[in-house]
Amino acid sequence: MSETASPREHLISLLRQHSLVLGEITLSSGRKSSYYIDARRTVMRPDGQQAAGELIAAHATGLGATAVGGPVMAAIPLACAAISVPAGAELVGFFVRKERKEHGLQRWVEGGAEPGDRVLVVEDTVTTGGSTVSAIERIRDEGFEIAGVLSLVDRLAGGGATIAEAADAPYEALTTIDDIYPDRPDR
């Protein structure tokens, strides 16, 4: 990271460099798009993990959350990033399974968080918000308090409002598609 760039500016630069994929893509919602944001390509690199971790941990701490997590694939690298930076030293991570295990503790929510904890739900990229809303329902059903929801990237397709309503808590995005791909054709 350059000495003059903030962690957010650095994250945007990394997302442009590593995560923006141009070409026709089918999104998880089934919609077609001429671009895709694969945020894991950024977060799974040391400098991306550091920048995302600092921002997520600061956000969680600001909301009084004690745990960070969300949908299984998207949240795992984000939660690990948040708990691995000094600002996240007091946080624990968790993830929400797509399917409940038929053995063991048979929990939807796995990891270091316990029912009753105040949690920050994290998601890598939000389009419609469907997977995040499903995770929020399971988190609430398991007895956790939702302090807020934070996405790494919001595609500005309406998912943020859907998530905020489902969470009954604040939703924010660290970046938007406008930051990463301001000249996109569908703008």
Side-chain angles (χ1 to χ4, degrees), residues 41-69:
R41 288 179 166 190
T42 293
V43 178
M44 299 296 284
R45 296 171 183 274
D47 51 351
Q49 183 180 41
Q50 180 75 30
E54 288 175 18
L55 293 164
I56 295 165
H59 195 79
T61 302
L63 290 173
T66 58
V68 176

PDB file of all heavy atoms in Angstrom, residues 41-69:
ATOM      1  N   ARG A  41     -10.543 -12.863  -5.109  1.00  0.00           N
ATOM      2  CA  ARG A  41      -9.252 -12.694  -5.791  1.00  0.00           C
ATOM      3  C   ARG A  41      -8.418 -11.589  -5.132  1.00  0.00           C
ATOM      4  O   ARG A  41      -7.198 -11.572  -5.276  1.00  0.00           O
ATOM      5  CB  ARG A  41      -9.463 -12.336  -7.260  1.00  0.00           C
ATOM      6  CG  ARG A  41      -9.965 -13.466  -8.097  1.00  0.00           C
ATOM      7  CD  ARG A  41     -10.151 -12.973  -9.512  1.00  0.00           C
ATOM      8  NE  ARG A  41     -10.325 -14.067 -10.436  1.00  0.00           N
ATOM      9  CZ  ARG A  41     -10.310 -13.920 -11.745  1.00  0.00           C
ATOM     10  NH1 ARG A  41     -10.111 -12.720 -12.284  1.00  0.00           N
ATOM     11  NH2 ARG A  41     -10.493 -14.959 -12.526  1.00  0.00           N
ATOM     12  N   THR A  42      -9.080 -10.672  -4.460  1.00  0.00           N
ATOM     13  CA  THR A  42      -8.383  -9.603  -3.738  1.00  0.00           C
ATOM     14  C   THR A  42      -8.144  -9.999  -2.290  1.00  0.00           C
ATOM     15  O   THR A  42      -7.027  -9.889  -1.779  1.00  0.00           O
ATOM     16  CB  THR A  42      -9.186  -8.287  -3.809  1.00  0.00           C
ATOM     17  OG1 THR A  42      -9.192  -7.844  -5.161  1.00  0.00           O
ATOM     18  CG2 THR A  42      -8.581  -7.220  -2.924  1.00  0.00           C
ATOM     19  N   VAL A  43      -9.177 -10.472  -1.614  1.00  0.00           N
ATOM     20  CA  VAL A  43      -9.076 -10.753  -0.177  1.00  0.00           C
ATOM     21  C   VAL A  43      -8.144 -11.927   0.109  1.00  0.00           C
ATOM     22  O   VAL A  43      -7.559 -12.007   1.189  1.00  0.00           O
ATOM     23  CB  VAL A  43     -10.469 -10.997   0.433  1.00  0.00           C
ATOM     24  CG1 VAL A  43     -10.377 -11.326   1.907  1.00  0.00           C
ATOM     25  CG2 VAL A  43     -11.343  -9.768   0.230  1.00  0.00           C
ATOM     26  N   MET A  44      -7.940 -12.804  -0.851  1.00  0.00           N
ATOM     27  CA  MET A  44      -7.069 -13.957  -0.644  1.00  0.00           C
ATOM     28  C   MET A  44      -5.611 -13.645  -1.011  1.00  0.00           C
ATOM     29  O   MET A  44      -4.818 -14.550  -1.242  1.00  0.00           O
ATOM     30  CB  MET A  44      -7.588 -15.161  -1.429  1.00  0.00           C
ATOM     31  CG  MET A  44      -8.977 -15.606  -1.005  1.00  0.00           C
ATOM     32  SD  MET A  44      -9.077 -16.217   0.687  1.00  0.00           S
ATOM     33  CE  MET A  44      -8.343 -17.807   0.490  1.00  0.00           C
ATOM     34  N   ARG A  45      -5.264 -12.375  -1.035  1.00  0.00           N
ATOM     35  CA  ARG A  45      -3.886 -11.902  -1.220  1.00  0.00           C
ATOM     36  C   ARG A  45      -3.499 -11.146   0.047  1.00  0.00           C
ATOM     37  O   ARG A  45      -4.349 -10.486   0.650  1.00  0.00           O
ATOM     38  CB  ARG A  45      -3.793 -10.954  -2.421  1.00  0.00           C
ATOM     39  CG  ARG A  45      -4.119 -11.600  -3.733  1.00  0.00           C
ATOM     40  CD  ARG A  45      -4.222 -10.546  -4.854  1.00  0.00           C
ATOM     41  NE  ARG A  45      -4.600 -11.178  -6.096  1.00  0.00           N
ATOM     42  CZ  ARG A  45      -3.736 -11.720  -6.948  1.00  0.00           C
ATOM     43  NH1 ARG A  45      -2.449 -11.688  -6.703  1.00  0.00           N
ATOM     44  NH2 ARG A  45      -4.167 -12.305  -8.049  1.00  0.00           N
ATOM     45  N   PRO A  46      -2.244 -11.202   0.463  1.00  0.00           N
ATOM     46  CA  PRO A  46      -1.859 -10.561   1.730  1.00  0.00           C
ATOM     47  C   PRO A  46      -2.250  -9.086   1.834  1.00  0.00           C
ATOM     48  O   PRO A  46      -2.811  -8.671   2.853  1.00  0.00           O
ATOM     49  CB  PRO A  46      -0.342 -10.729   1.771  1.00  0.00           C
ATOM     50  CG  PRO A  46      -0.086 -11.957   0.954  1.00  0.00           C
ATOM     51  CD  PRO A  46      -1.121 -11.928  -0.138  1.00  0.00           C
ATOM     52  N   ASP A  47      -2.003  -8.297   0.802  1.00  0.00           N
ATOM     53  CA  ASP A  47      -2.325  -6.872   0.908  1.00  0.00           C
ATOM     54  C   ASP A  47      -3.828  -6.628   0.879  1.00  0.00           C
ATOM     55  O   ASP A  47      -4.337  -5.727   1.548  1.00  0.00           O
ATOM     56  CB  ASP A  47      -1.589  -6.038  -0.143  1.00  0.00           C
ATOM     57  CG  ASP A  47      -1.733  -6.545  -1.568  1.00  0.00           C
ATOM     58  OD1 ASP A  47      -2.261  -7.647  -1.782  1.00  0.00           O
ATOM     59  OD2 ASP A  47      -1.305  -5.813  -2.482  1.00  0.00           O
ATOM     60  N   GLY A  48      -4.572  -7.439   0.148  1.00  0.00           N
ATOM     61  CA  GLY A  48      -6.025  -7.327   0.136  1.00  0.00           C
ATOM     62  C   GLY A  48      -6.624  -7.748   1.463  1.00  0.00           C
ATOM     63  O   GLY A  48      -7.556  -7.121   1.970  1.00  0.00           O
ATOM     64  N   GLN A  49      -6.088  -8.824   2.029  1.00  0.00           N
ATOM     65  CA  GLN A  49      -6.564  -9.286   3.324  1.00  0.00           C
ATOM     66  C   GLN A  49      -6.305  -8.231   4.395  1.00  0.00           C
ATOM     67  O   GLN A  49      -7.170  -7.947   5.225  1.00  0.00           O
ATOM     68  CB  GLN A  49      -5.891 -10.603   3.718  1.00  0.00           C
ATOM     69  CG  GLN A  49      -6.422 -11.135   5.025  1.00  0.00           C
ATOM     70  CD  GLN A  49      -5.773 -12.433   5.425  1.00  0.00           C
ATOM     71  OE1 GLN A  49      -4.575 -12.604   5.284  1.00  0.00           O
ATOM     72  NE2 GLN A  49      -6.575 -13.336   5.942  1.00  0.00           N
ATOM     73  N   GLN A  50      -5.139  -7.622   4.355  1.00  0.00           N
ATOM     74  CA  GLN A  50      -4.789  -6.589   5.332  1.00  0.00           C
ATOM     75  C   GLN A  50      -5.728  -5.390   5.232  1.00  0.00           C
ATOM     76  O   GLN A  50      -6.265  -4.928   6.236  1.00  0.00           O
ATOM     77  CB  GLN A  50      -3.335  -6.140   5.114  1.00  0.00           C
ATOM     78  CG  GLN A  50      -2.865  -5.069   6.061  1.00  0.00           C
ATOM     79  CD  GLN A  50      -2.596  -5.588   7.445  1.00  0.00           C
ATOM     80  OE1 GLN A  50      -2.231  -6.749   7.622  1.00  0.00           O
ATOM     81  NE2 GLN A  50      -2.783  -4.752   8.437  1.00  0.00           N
ATOM     82  N   ALA A  51      -5.930  -4.879   4.021  1.00  0.00           N
ATOM     83  CA  ALA A  51      -6.793  -3.702   3.835  1.00  0.00           C
ATOM     84  C   ALA A  51      -8.234  -4.012   4.238  1.00  0.00           C
ATOM     85  O   ALA A  51      -8.857  -3.248   4.982  1.00  0.00           O
ATOM     86  CB  ALA A  51      -6.736  -3.227   2.385  1.00  0.00           C
ATOM     87  N   ALA A  52      -8.771  -5.137   3.765  1.00  0.00           N
ATOM     88  CA  ALA A  52     -10.143  -5.511   4.117  1.00  0.00           C
ATOM     89  C   ALA A  52     -10.264  -5.759   5.608  1.00  0.00           C
ATOM     90  O   ALA A  52     -11.230  -5.319   6.242  1.00  0.00           O
ATOM     91  CB  ALA A  52     -10.572  -6.751   3.334  1.00  0.00           C
ATOM     92  N   GLY A  53      -9.281  -6.448   6.191  1.00  0.00           N
ATOM     93  CA  GLY A  53      -9.316  -6.751   7.623  1.00  0.00           C
ATOM     94  C   GLY A  53      -9.366  -5.506   8.477  1.00  0.00           C
ATOM     95  O   GLY A  53     -10.138  -5.429   9.441  1.00  0.00           O
ATOM     96  N   GLU A  54      -8.542  -4.525   8.150  1.00  0.00           N
ATOM     97  CA  GLU A  54      -8.533  -3.275   8.920  1.00  0.00           C
ATOM     98  C   GLU A  54      -9.896  -2.586   8.857  1.00  0.00           C
ATOM     99  O   GLU A  54     -10.416  -2.126   9.880  1.00  0.00           O
ATOM    100  CB  GLU A  54      -7.452  -2.334   8.394  1.00  0.00           C
ATOM    101  CG  GLU A  54      -6.042  -2.771   8.721  1.00  0.00           C
ATOM    102  CD  GLU A  54      -4.987  -1.874   8.088  1.00  0.00           C
ATOM    103  OE1 GLU A  54      -5.309  -0.737   7.686  1.00  0.00           O
ATOM    104  OE2 GLU A  54      -3.826  -2.317   8.012  1.00  0.00           O
ATOM    105  N   LEU A  55     -10.461  -2.504   7.666  1.00  0.00           N
ATOM    106  CA  LEU A  55     -11.742  -1.822   7.495  1.00  0.00           C
ATOM    107  C   LEU A  55     -12.890  -2.567   8.175  1.00  0.00           C
ATOM    108  O   LEU A  55     -13.734  -1.958   8.833  1.00  0.00           O
ATOM    109  CB  LEU A  55     -12.031  -1.634   6.002  1.00  0.00           C
ATOM    110  CG  LEU A  55     -11.082  -0.673   5.285  1.00  0.00           C
ATOM    111  CD1 LEU A  55     -11.189  -0.843   3.774  1.00  0.00           C
ATOM    112  CD2 LEU A  55     -11.337   0.763   5.701  1.00  0.00           C
ATOM    113  N   ILE A  56     -12.911  -3.879   8.041  1.00  0.00           N
ATOM    114  CA  ILE A  56     -13.985  -4.683   8.649  1.00  0.00           C
ATOM    115  C   ILE A  56     -13.874  -4.656  10.166  1.00  0.00           C
ATOM    116  O   ILE A  56     -14.874  -4.466  10.870  1.00  0.00           O
ATOM    117  CB  ILE A  56     -13.970  -6.129   8.107  1.00  0.00           C
ATOM    118  CG1 ILE A  56     -14.284  -6.132   6.611  1.00  0.00           C
ATOM    119  CG2 ILE A  56     -14.958  -7.003   8.869  1.00  0.00           C
ATOM    120  CD1 ILE A  56     -13.954  -7.447   5.920  1.00  0.00           C
ATOM    121  N   ALA A  57     -12.675  -4.838  10.695  1.00  0.00           N
ATOM    122  CA  ALA A  57     -12.487  -4.828  12.149  1.00  0.00           C
ATOM    123  C   ALA A  57     -12.886  -3.485  12.748  1.00  0.00           C
ATOM    124  O   ALA A  57     -13.550  -3.428  13.791  1.00  0.00           O
ATOM    125  CB  ALA A  57     -11.040  -5.167  12.501  1.00  0.00           C
ATOM    126  N   ALA A  58     -12.507  -2.394  12.098  1.00  0.00           N
ATOM    127  CA  ALA A  58     -12.874  -1.063  12.589  1.00  0.00           C
ATOM    128  C   ALA A  58     -14.392  -0.890  12.583  1.00  0.00           C
ATOM    129  O   ALA A  58     -14.974  -0.334  13.531  1.00  0.00           O
ATOM    130  CB  ALA A  58     -12.204   0.015  11.743  1.00  0.00           C
ATOM    131  N   HIS A  59     -15.038  -1.373  11.531  1.00  0.00           N
ATOM    132  CA  HIS A  59     -16.495  -1.260  11.433  1.00  0.00           C
ATOM    133  C   HIS A  59     -17.169  -2.087  12.538  1.00  0.00           C
ATOM    134  O   HIS A  59     -18.089  -1.606  13.195  1.00  0.00           O
ATOM    135  CB  HIS A  59     -16.955  -1.718  10.048  1.00  0.00           C
ATOM    136  CG  HIS A  59     -18.347  -1.305   9.722  1.00  0.00           C
ATOM    137  ND1 HIS A  59     -18.673  -0.040   9.300  1.00  0.00           N
ATOM    138  CD2 HIS A  59     -19.515  -1.985   9.775  1.00  0.00           C
ATOM    139  CE1 HIS A  59     -19.971   0.044   9.104  1.00  0.00           C
ATOM    140  NE2 HIS A  59     -20.512  -1.140   9.378  1.00  0.00           N
ATOM    141  N   ALA A  60     -16.703  -3.309  12.732  1.00  0.00           N
ATOM    142  CA  ALA A  60     -17.275  -4.177  13.760  1.00  0.00           C
ATOM    143  C   ALA A  60     -17.122  -3.544  15.142  1.00  0.00           C
ATOM    144  O   ALA A  60     -18.083  -3.494  15.921  1.00  0.00           O
ATOM    145  CB  ALA A  60     -16.604  -5.552  13.727  1.00  0.00           C
ATOM    146  N   THR A  61     -15.931  -3.052  15.430  1.00  0.00           N
ATOM    147  CA  THR A  61     -15.671  -2.435  16.725  1.00  0.00           C
ATOM    148  C   THR A  61     -16.555  -1.210  16.919  1.00  0.00           C
ATOM    149  O   THR A  61     -17.112  -0.998  18.006  1.00  0.00           O
ATOM    150  CB  THR A  61     -14.178  -2.064  16.833  1.00  0.00           C
ATOM    151  OG1 THR A  61     -13.411  -3.268  16.652  1.00  0.00           O
ATOM    152  CG2 THR A  61     -13.845  -1.455  18.171  1.00  0.00           C
ATOM    153  N   GLY A  62     -16.708  -0.412  15.870  1.00  0.00           N
ATOM    154  CA  GLY A  62     -17.551   0.779  15.944  1.00  0.00           C
ATOM    155  C   GLY A  62     -19.007   0.463  16.242  1.00  0.00           C
ATOM    156  O   GLY A  62     -19.711   1.281  16.848  1.00  0.00           O
ATOM    157  N   LEU A  63     -19.474  -0.697  15.835  1.00  0.00           N
ATOM    158  CA  LEU A  63     -20.851  -1.115  16.089  1.00  0.00           C
ATOM    159  C   LEU A  63     -21.001  -1.888  17.401  1.00  0.00           C
ATOM    160  O   LEU A  63     -22.109  -2.298  17.750  1.00  0.00           O
ATOM    161  CB  LEU A  63     -21.364  -1.995  14.941  1.00  0.00           C
ATOM    162  CG  LEU A  63     -21.599  -1.299  13.609  1.00  0.00           C
ATOM    163  CD1 LEU A  63     -21.946  -2.317  12.531  1.00  0.00           C
ATOM    164  CD2 LEU A  63     -22.711  -0.259  13.728  1.00  0.00           C
ATOM    165  N   GLY A  64     -19.894  -2.126  18.072  1.00  0.00           N
ATOM    166  CA  GLY A  64     -19.949  -2.906  19.308  1.00  0.00           C
ATOM    167  C   GLY A  64     -20.123  -4.392  19.075  1.00  0.00           C
ATOM    168  O   GLY A  64     -20.579  -5.111  19.971  1.00  0.00           O
ATOM    169  N   ALA A  65     -19.764  -4.865  17.891  1.00  0.00           N
ATOM    170  CA  ALA A  65     -19.868  -6.300  17.594  1.00  0.00           C
ATOM    171  C   ALA A  65     -18.700  -7.045  18.224  1.00  0.00           C
ATOM    172  O   ALA A  65     -17.609  -6.497  18.358  1.00  0.00           O
ATOM    173  CB  ALA A  65     -19.887  -6.535  16.082  1.00  0.00           C
ATOM    174  N   THR A  66     -18.948  -8.290  18.591  1.00  0.00           N
ATOM    175  CA  THR A  66     -17.896  -9.143  19.148  1.00  0.00           C
ATOM    176  C   THR A  66     -17.515 -10.263  18.195  1.00  0.00           C
ATOM    177  O   THR A  66     -16.574 -11.000  18.453  1.00  0.00           O
ATOM    178  CB  THR A  66     -18.344  -9.756  20.488  1.00  0.00           C
ATOM    179  OG1 THR A  66     -19.545 -10.512  20.274  1.00  0.00           O
ATOM    180  CG2 THR A  66     -18.607  -8.670  21.526  1.00  0.00           C
ATOM    181  N   ALA A  67     -18.272 -10.392  17.092  1.00  0.00           N
ATOM    182  CA  ALA A  67     -18.021 -11.457  16.126  1.00  0.00           C
ATOM    183  C   ALA A  67     -18.322 -10.954  14.721  1.00  0.00           C
ATOM    184  O   ALA A  67     -19.153 -10.059  14.531  1.00  0.00           O
ATOM    185  CB  ALA A  67     -18.884 -12.679  16.434  1.00  0.00           C
ATOM    186  N   VAL A  68     -17.629 -11.548  13.741  1.00  0.00           N
ATOM    187  CA  VAL A  68     -17.766 -11.181  12.339  1.00  0.00           C
ATOM    188  C   VAL A  68     -17.949 -12.452  11.523  1.00  0.00           C
ATOM    189  O   VAL A  68     -17.170 -13.402  11.671  1.00  0.00           O
ATOM    190  CB  VAL A  68     -16.502 -10.439  11.838  1.00  0.00           C
ATOM    191  CG1 VAL A  68     -16.599 -10.138  10.361  1.00  0.00           C
ATOM    192  CG2 VAL A  68     -16.266  -9.170  12.633  1.00  0.00           C
ATOM    193  N   GLY A  69     -18.967 -12.479  10.662  1.00  0.00           N
ATOM    194  CA  GLY A  69     -19.168 -13.642   9.805  1.00  0.00           C
ATOM    195  C   GLY A  69     -20.398 -13.485   8.943  1.00  0.00           C
ATOM    196  O   GLY A  69     -21.053 -12.443   8.959  1.00  0.00           O
TER     197      GLY A  69
END
